[in-house]
Amino acid sequence: MSSIFGQPEPKPNPFGGLGNPSTSTSAGQTNATTGGSNFFGGGLGATNSQSHQSSSLFGTNNSTNNPPPAAGFSINVPQQTNPPPSQDADNAFSSVYFNNLLEKGRKRKVGQDGEAGFGEVPSLQFGLGDIAKRVRELGGADLRSQQNRGADSKAHYLLAASGVNLGTTRRDLDAFGAQPFTQTALQQPPDWDPDSNRYIEQLQQQSTLKMISEGIERAHRNFDAYLEENIDIDWEDQRRKIYEHFGLAPRGADASSDSAGYSTPVKEGAFGRSTRRGRGMNSQKNGQSVGGRSIFGASGMQKSVIGTPGAGQGNAALFADVAEKTDKNEKDDKSERSEKSGIKLVGQDDRFTREKQGKFAEAVQRLNGARLEETVFPVLQEFANVEKQCGGESSIQLVDAYKALTEIVKENPNAAKTTDPDAVKSRQYAEGYLDETPNSASVMSIRKRILDGSRRCLEKQFYELLESSVAQNPRDANLGGIPTVTNKVRAYIRIRAIRKDLTTDSAELQRIGDDYCWALVFFLLRSGFIREATEYVTGNQASFRVLDRNFVTFITNYASSSDRRLSRSQQDRINSEYQQRTRLAPDNSLDPYRIACYKIVGRCELSKRNFEHLSQQVEDWMWLQFSLAREVNRTEEVAGEVFGLDDVQETIREIGDQYFSKESEATGGHGTYFFLQILGGMFEQAIAFLYPHSYVSAVHFAIALDFYGLLRVSDFSLTNSPELLTYTTKKLPQISFGRMLGYYTTDFRSNNAQAAADYLALICLNADLPGALGQSQLSLCHEALRELVLETREFAALLGDIWSDGTRFKGAIEQRLPLIGIANQEEFLRTVTIQAASVADDNGRTTDAVLLYHLAEDYDNVTAIINRALSDSIALDIGQGKLRLQPLKPRAGAQDGDQNSLSLTSVTDPAQLAFSMITLYNENALYYQKIRPTNREACGVLLQLSNAKGKVEVGQWAEALDIISSLSLLPLNANSSIPIIRSHAQTLTTLPSTISRLIGPLLLWTITCIGKQRDVLSTSASFSTTGANEVSAVGGGGFDSETKAMMREELVGKARDLMVFAGLIKLRLGAGVWEALVAGAGDVGVY
């Protein structure tokens, strides 16, 4: 047979001379001939007469003639026929050494089986023969692998091309099986041990270890369950951060995209999507689901609907499209303040913002109150008043924007009820504004309303400026006479004439008498008084026909038209005259106000929509745009006369890009552009533009617009974009209204949860939208309210409270149920309340959980919670201090002196809480019947135990013993009857855990009371034998002494019964209880 170590040789004895001090001559000669090949290479400690190289399992050994003997042994030792005595000694030494080594190996293996600390050392499982067999098998496997190597070459090349290091991977895989698995099992006690004490001790140890092991496993399971229920980690965000940290993805990459080509499977673990199932934050239960999000159940949002609590403009950064603008605006504001004043006004800004938010919150509260009462609430006028009171940067433009909206919707503050004919109802314009059909009647009506309302707003604004100028300059105005509109305009023209700013050049203005007739007509039209302008022209008809024979006809027809348009023939005539006069007339020969009146009345030369040679402001230019714009069917209109709201909006957009962009926007100029956007009906863009500059004002403009149905909102169930302004598939702008309100409440909801509930209830304004969009807004509102309850812990304020007689007081959410579109009010409140109660109970907030479960009408759970809290309080050692509960947050406005307005659960003593609640439930059969008898009886027992503990603490030993004896938990009346004692021990397993866990402390109290009461009796008995006075003091002489002696013996008997009872339940007692009982019993005299 060919040896796997080198030269061919016959198969040697694998154990050589093991256990044989004398080796046969033939064996020695054979080994000398073959070169002594063995498993340890070349023969350790052997003498070889030949010089050659032999292959070894551990390498190659070059042996020389007559080497010095080495420590060790040889399996096949080459020997001569007559070995010298020194060689025999060496053989004996090797045999002894080998025997010792084997013995150590056996001991080590025994140590492994007995857990002697060799758990990390691999054990030798095979003998030398088995090792040789395994080596030969490995050699054969090598030969077979060489034959099959060609078949695996493709796989090797494929793995190598994929970047897999085969050698390293093989070592890593082999490393898994390097250590033998040793299971830490409990040692089983022998079946029988003559020593009874030792057997009981081993049994107790086994029970203790088993209880500890079960407790650890239970703790692991509870901890894992708690993580599953309460921890919600955005694994996608964590994966993105890790990729960014290690340079695998660019900084700031979108979390929803797989950066750098690293895709994550849907069910991937690690840093991919979580594969958890259960009652996590992403689970759906207890309600229907819309768009993957639960209405009544846990949140389906990856991020919070209402944002993280904070203060200031931190919530603006939650929208990606406004975060960058916010950062820039803050830097610009700080630099400007430092340049002007050299100090920072951050604190003043915060105070100003808080005051503004408080006033707006009051207005929103009144708005919801009016909605509940179904009365009219002029939301635009109220918000405008708040903006005017608070002032601030661009407050004038913001107030003007509210006035423009008032003109557009025609809000009437004098209307009392929604049934009044001139009252504007909530969501009145939603159908027409949200209609996506371009030329439908409802869309055309809304467009005309926006044009007319914006024009009226600019006209009223100019007339207010006119009256203010006349009032401030009475001498130059020289009003006199009756202050009619026409006379006021004449006075205004006098002031402008004195200031010489009627025109920009030296053009001559035409007169009729003392009046600049064309200027007077123009300013009457500019102020919106068309009827007065027509009366003035017709009243001076003769003079006007001298100046212009056709203008009287033009302005008369213009005033009588409902849409302020001339007939086709008159339109052609006025266009012809306008072209002739502007082209043929010499410079400075035409009155510029005459040309302006022609442009307004006849909509002439729409390609040039501005006044030439006139002093004008931005408002004058905007008024001209709205005066010229008409909403008509474009297919029926002449191409050169088409100019509508879309064209006005495009003009405003061009102005914004040129003058109000991020690069060119001047400080404080955002108010002007916002006002222009509101005038142009660009409501969504206006909100998104104002938000980074003043998010408080932007939010309330959005509320006002949405209240009347003039805001298009996004569907949060379909849009996961973190942007405030997005666009539909038809390129229509939409605002993330629900998220904006939720993020806005981050500033104050911790301190004013009711105000936050008012804002979140406004999300349901969009619940009337058709299809899934309205349902998604409803779901978002409910989700936000649920998060508000769980976050703020304002349970009494939001979900309700209970009076001292147990009746329920409605919370803020329940009071607003008609506003939040709840189909099943009872189911929603119960679900939200139970979820909040579960969270409070898990977090150890007993008073919160008691209140919430009571509001949810789960009275049995209330009893279970107070039992658990009372048991924890009783379990504390005497003198350690009392357990105090975290008090419930009282409702806003509750007074300490009013017992009827305070919550029943705003207490800190568990015993007081339990007594109040169980008393309330016992007095009402509706409560009483919903509580299991076990919990109800356990609560009564725990209250008695708490009373007994209080007696023990104050030293009332007899009273405490009477209370404990009445509970029949301990065999105090067994009279040394073993069956009765054993019966009590067996009954212990049927008791609730809240009571059975207290048996140890209860035994200690009882032994203490027995010892102390016995000492009291002994002291009084000794006093009775000292004299007559003492006898009379104790009242009884010898009879009393005998009675007290009997009582002391009875107490000792009770103590003996308790110790027998304690011995039967010794394994159930807590740590140190048995030792303390033994010590106390010794003091009593049991031992």
Side-chain angles (χ1 to χ4, degrees):
M1 178 179 178
S2 176
S3 172
I4 64 174
F5 301 108
Q7 301 173 0
E9 61 176 1
K11 180 178 179 181
N13 182 11
F15 296 97
L18 180 61
N20 270 333
S22 61
T23 308
S24 64
T25 305
S26 61
Q29 291 175 351
T30 301
N31 289 333
T33 304
T34 60
S37 178
N38 57 65
F39 291 104
F40 299 91
L44 294 174
T47 304
N48 199 342
S49 61
Q50 298 181 3
S51 175
H52 64 276
Q53 182 177 351
S54 63
S55 177
S56 170
L57 179 64
F58 298 99
T60 301
N61 184 20
N62 296 328
S63 58
T64 58
N65 293 330
N66 301 325
F73 64 94
S74 175
I75 297 177
N76 297 317
V77 182
Q79 298 178 357
Q80 299 177 359
T81 306
N82 298 318
S86 60
Q87 192 170 359
D88 293 337
D90 291 338
N91 290 337
F93 173 78
S94 299
S95 178
V96 172
Y97 179 83
F98 185 71
N99 291 333
N100 293 335
L101 189 61
L102 284 180
E103 185 65 19
K104 290 180 179 179
R106 294 193 187 97
K107 292 181 178 180
R108 187 171 69 81
K109 183 170 181 59
V110 173
Q112 285 183 341
D113 297 338
E115 297 297 326
F118 295 94
E120 299 180 356
V121 180
S123 60
L124 294 177
Q125 303 288 338
F126 306 105
L128 297 179
D130 296 329
I131 294 176
K133 183 178 179 181
R134 290 298 181 94
V135 170
R136 286 193 299 273
E137 291 176 355
L138 290 176
D142 265 345
L143 293 177
R144 289 191 299 271
S145 64
Q146 290 178 2
Q147 296 174 0
N148 298 331
R149 185 169 300 170
D152 299 337
S153 59
K154 294 182 179 180
H156 294 171
Y157 284 121
L158 178 61
L159 292 174
S162 302
V164 178
N165 191 333
L166 297 180
T168 305
T169 306
R170 179 60 181 271
R171 286 195 301 270
D172 293 341
L173 293 175
D174 292 341
F176 286 112
Q179 293 290 346
F181 177 74
T182 57
Q183 184 177 4
T184 58
L186 297 175
Q187 297 183 13
Q188 297 296 331
D191 295 337
W192 171 252
D193 194 329
D195 191 351
S196 300
N197 293 333
R198 182 178 176 183
Y199 176 77
I200 294 175
E201 182 179 358
Q202 290 178 354
L203 184 61
Q204 185 178 6
Q205 291 178 357
Q206 280 294 115
S207 301
T208 304
L209 293 176
K210 185 177 180 181
M211 292 173 59
I212 293 174
S213 178
E214 292 176 353
I216 293 175
E217 292 178 0
R218 184 167 57 253
H220 288 170
R221 291 194 301 268
N222 293 340
F223 180 72
D224 293 339
Y226 178 81
L227 290 180
E228 290 289 338
E229 294 177 3
N230 297 278
I231 305 300
D232 183 23
I233 299 176
D234 189 353
W235 294 110
E236 290 292 335
D237 186 51
Q238 296 296 326
R239 178 171 65 94
R240 177 181 58 80
K241 291 180 180 179
I242 291 174
Y243 283 166
E244 292 178 358
H245 176 75
F246 289 103
L248 301 178
R251 293 281 181 179
D254 188 4
S256 62
S257 63
D258 292 328
S259 304
Y262 291 90
S263 62
T264 304
V266 175
K267 291 186 178 181
E268 187 179 18
F271 297 103
R273 292 183 178 89
S274 175
T275 58
R276 293 186 294 114
R277 296 291 185 267
R279 293 175 53 200
M281 294 299 291
N282 292 333
S283 61
Q284 298 177 6
K285 58 183 296 186
N286 295 331
Q288 298 177 351
S289 176
V290 179
R293 286 159 173 82
S294 172
I295 296 178
F296 301 122
S299 174
M301 305 290 291
Q302 290 184 354
K303 295 183 179 179
S304 174
V305 175
I306 58 178
T308 305
Q313 292 188 355
N315 58 71
L318 297 175
F319 293 109
D321 54 343
V322 298
E324 184 177 355
K325 296 180 182 179
T326 304
D327 295 338
K328 178 183 179 299
N329 294 335
E330 290 178 354
K331 293 179 181 179
D332 294 343
D333 292 343
K334 290 181 180 179
S335 61
E336 181 182 3
R337 289 168 182 167
S338 61
E339 291 176 359
K340 290 183 178 180
S341 61
I343 58 175
K344 295 183 178 180
L345 303 178
V346 178
Q348 297 182 13
D349 287 348
D350 291 342
R351 184 173 64 254
F352 166 76
T353 302
R354 288 195 299 270
E355 293 176 356
K356 189 174 183 179
Q357 287 178 336
K359 293 180 179 179
F360 270 123
E362 294 175 359
V364 170
Q365 184 179 6
R366 294 196 300 271
L367 168 63
N368 285 332
R371 293 173 62 199
L372 289 172
E373 298 172 359
E374 297 183 355
T375 58
V376 175
F377 183 80
V379 58
L380 292 172
Q381 182 178 352
E382 292 290 336
F383 285 0
N385 292 336
V386 173
E387 200 71 54
K388 186 185 300 183
Q389 293 173 7
C390 296
E393 186 179 4
S394 302
S395 62
I396 297 177
Q397 290 85 355
L398 297 180
V399 173
D400 291 340
Y402 277 116
K403 293 179 179 179
L405 290 176
T406 303
E407 294 298 329
I408 291 174
V409 303
K410 293 183 179 180
E411 184 180 78
N412 183 12
N414 298 323
K417 297 182 179 181
T418 56
T419 56
D420 293 346
D422 56 346
V424 184
K425 303 177 180 61
S426 173
R427 307 288 294 175
Q428 181 170 334
Y429 306 107
E431 182 179 358
Y433 183 79
L434 301 177
D435 189 359
E436 298 182 357
T437 306
N439 295 323
S440 64
S442 58
V443 172
M444 298 295 292
S445 175
I446 291 296
R447 290 176 175 272
K448 291 180 180 179
R449 178 176 292 277
I450 292 175
L451 289 175
D452 295 342
S454 299
R455 185 182 63 252
R456 284 196 304 270
C457 172
L458 293 171
E459 290 170 351
K460 290 183 178 181
Q461 185 182 22
F462 175 77
Y463 187 68
E464 291 176 358
L465 177 64
L466 184 149
E467 288 183 321
S468 176
S469 179
V470 171
Q472 292 176 2
N473 302 277
R475 180 176 298 179
D476 296 338
N478 192 17
L479 180 59
I482 301 174
T484 61
V485 173
T486 305
N487 289 334
K488 289 182 179 179
V489 173
R490 286 194 181 101
Y492 177 73
I493 293 175
R494 293 190 192 101
I495 297 174
R496 296 283 296 268
I498 293 174
R499 296 178 180 176
K500 297 182 180 181
D501 61 350
L502 280 174
T503 60
T504 58
D505 49 24
S506 57
E508 184 178 355
L509 302 180
Q510 294 180 342
R511 289 173 177 261
I512 297 179
D514 295 334
D515 297 334
Y516 293 103
C517 56
W518 294 110
L520 182 60
V521 173
F522 170 80
F523 284 117
L524 285 172
L525 293 177
R526 175 68 180 87
S527 302
F529 298 105
I530 299 176
R531 183 175 59 83
E532 286 77 2
T534 304
E535 292 175 354
Y536 175 77
V537 172
T538 55
N540 298 277
Q541 183 175 359
S543 300
F544 269 99
R545 289 194 179 275
V546 174
L547 300 176
D548 191 328
R549 61 181 181 178
N550 294 323
F551 185 76
V552 177
T553 304
F554 293 152
I555 195 171
T556 302
N557 293 333
Y558 176 80
S560 60
S561 174
S562 59
D563 57 351
R564 293 187 179 184
R565 300 192 65 186
L566 301 177
S567 63
R568 173 51 52 191
S569 59
Q570 290 180 346
Q571 185 69 49
D572 294 339
R573 288 173 56 189
I574 195 172
N575 284 336
S576 177
E577 290 187 15
Y578 179 84
Q579 295 294 337
Q580 291 177 4
R581 294 182 185 278
T582 55
R583 292 182 179 180
L584 302 178
D587 294 340
N588 298 329
S589 63
L590 288 177
D591 191 334
Y593 288 101
R594 181 180 182 180
I595 302 300
C597 290
Y598 266 78
K599 182 178 285 292
I600 295 170
V601 174
R603 300 178 70 239
C604 302
E605 198 174 8
L606 291 178
S607 59
K608 294 181 179 180
R609 298 185 299 275
N610 60 335
F611 297 123
E612 296 181 356
H613 311 294
L614 292 180
S615 300
Q616 57 183 339
Q617 302 296 328
V618 177
E619 292 79 5
D620 300 324
W621 179 84
M622 283 301 303
W623 174 80
L624 178 62
Q625 312 306 307
F626 287 104
S627 296
L628 299 178
R630 299 289 187 275
E631 279 299 325
V632 295
N633 191 343
R634 293 176 179 262
T635 59
E636 301 174 358
E637 190 71 14
V638 179
E641 296 181 1
V642 173
F643 183 74
L645 182 61
D646 291 337
D647 302 289
V648 175
Q649 292 176 349
E650 183 61 29
T651 303
I652 295 174
R653 192 176 295 109
E654 293 175 356
I655 294 174
D657 295 339
Q658 184 175 359
Y659 298 103
F660 298 97
S661 62
K662 185 173 61 176
E663 291 79 11
S664 59
E665 181 183 347
T667 303
H670 62 273
T672 301
Y673 185 56
F674 173 76
F675 178 53
L676 294 180
Q677 289 177 310
I678 292 295
L679 290 173
M682 305 167 63
F683 302 134
E684 292 83 9
Q685 295 93 327
I687 298 301
F689 176 79
L690 181 62
Y691 193 86
H693 301 280
S694 176
Y695 70 95
V696 177
S697 300
V699 166
H700 292 88
F701 266 104
I703 292 174
L705 290 168
D706 196 61
F707 180 76
Y708 289 116
L710 295 177
L711 191 70
R712 185 175 287 104
V713 299
S714 59
D715 186 356
F716 84 98
S717 64
L718 301 177
T719 304
N720 291 324
S721 175
E723 297 182 350
L724 175 63
L725 178 66
T726 55
Y727 291 88
T728 65
T729 56
K730 295 185 178 181
K731 303 301 181 182
L732 298 176
Q734 56 185 2
I735 286 292
S736 183
F737 181 71
R739 292 182 185 272
M740 180 174 62
L741 289 183
Y743 294 163
Y744 174 72
T745 61
T746 59
D747 290 351
F748 56 84
R749 64 172 177 256
S750 298
N751 300 324
N752 194 350
Q754 292 185 2
D758 279 317
Y759 279 95
L760 296 179
L762 294 174
I763 300 177
C764 279
L765 286 171
N766 302 291
D768 60 347
L769 297 177
L773 180 58
Q775 188 65 23
S776 69
Q777 298 298 315
L778 195 67
S779 173
L780 179 61
C781 176
H782 301 162
E783 191 76 24
L785 290 173
R786 188 191 67 84
E787 289 190 15
L788 177 68
V789 171
L790 297 180
E791 178 187 303
T792 59
R793 288 186 58 240
E794 296 285 352
F795 304 124
L798 296 176
L799 298 178
D801 204 349
I802 49 178
W803 302 112
S804 58
D805 58 354
T807 56
R808 180 170 180 172
F809 172 79
K810 291 184 178 181
I813 294 179
E814 190 172 0
Q815 292 173 2
R816 293 160 178 78
L817 282 179
L819 306 180
I820 58 179
I822 297 297
N824 191 339
Q825 300 179 2
E826 184 178 357
E827 180 64 22
F828 172 77
L829 283 177
R830 180 180 290 108
T831 304
V832 173
T833 305
I834 288 178
Q835 288 181 354
S838 178
V839 173
D841 192 18
D842 292 340
N843 295 336
R845 300 196 300 268
T846 302
T847 53
D848 294 345
V850 167
L851 172 64
L852 292 171
Y853 277 122
H854 178 84
L855 296 178
E857 299 181 358
D858 192 354
Y859 308 121
D860 186 67
N861 228 336
V862 172
T863 309
I865 291 175
I866 60 178
N867 287 350
R868 188 170 62 248
L870 188 55
S871 178
D872 292 338
S873 175
I874 297 173
L876 294 178
D877 294 338
I878 295 178
Q880 187 176 349
K882 293 184 178 180
L883 178 66
R884 293 297 178 183
L885 302 176
Q886 184 178 2
L888 181 74
K889 290 184 178 180
R891 285 189 331 275
Q895 302 295 327
D896 294 340
D898 188 0
Q899 294 297 329
N900 290 327
S901 64
L902 284 178
S903 171
L904 249 179
T905 56
S906 56
V907 294
T908 59
D909 186 8
Q912 182 183 353
L913 174 63
F915 179 77
S916 300
M917 299 306 297
I918 202 64
T919 302
L920 173 65
Y921 292 160
N922 289 336
E923 293 175 352
N924 194 325
L926 295 177
Y927 301 153
Y928 186 87
Q929 295 174 357
K930 295 182 179 181
I931 304 175
R932 290 182 299 174
T934 304
N935 286 337
R936 192 169 57 245
E937 294 171 1
C939 185
V941 172
L942 289 171
L943 285 174
Q944 292 293 326
L945 289 177
S946 177
N947 188 18
K949 183 180 178 181
K951 299 293 185 181
V952 173
E953 289 177 343
V954 298
Q956 298 179 3
W957 318 115
E959 292 83 350
L961 280 174
D962 291 339
I963 295 174
I964 296 173
S965 179
S966 65
L967 296 175
S968 299
L969 296 176
L970 301 179
L972 292 177
N973 299 319
N975 296 324
S976 302
S977 175
I978 299 300
I980 296 177
I981 298 175
R982 185 179 294 111
S983 175
H984 279 79
Q986 293 173 354
T987 306
L988 184 62
T989 59
T990 63
L991 295 177
S993 59
T994 53
I995 297 177
S996 61
R997 64 190 292 257
L998 301 176
I999 293 299
L1002 184 60
L1003 283 170
L1004 290 176
W1005 304 343
T1006 309
I1007 289 293
T1008 303
C1009 290
I1010 289 175
K1012 296 296 184 180
Q1013 183 63 21
R1014 189 169 177 275
D1015 293 341
V1016 171
L1017 293 175
S1018 299
T1019 304
S1020 60
S1022 63
F1023 287 163
S1024 64
T1025 59
T1026 56
N1029 295 332
E1030 289 79 358
V1031 170
S1032 61
V1034 297
F1039 177 77
D1040 282 344
S1041 300
E1042 293 178 359
T1043 302
K1044 292 178 180 178
M1046 293 174 59
M1047 294 174 63
R1048 290 198 302 272
E1049 290 300 325
E1050 184 180 353
L1051 291 176
V1052 173
K1054 293 179 182 294
R1056 291 194 184 95
D1057 293 344
L1058 290 180
M1059 293 307 298
V1060 175
F1061 174 77
L1064 294 176
I1065 62 169
K1066 183 177 180 181
L1067 300 180
R1068 296 179 175 270
L1069 300 178
V1073 175
W1074 176 255
E1075 291 77 4
L1077 285 175
V1078 172
D1083 296 338
V1084 173
V1086 175
Y1087 301 117

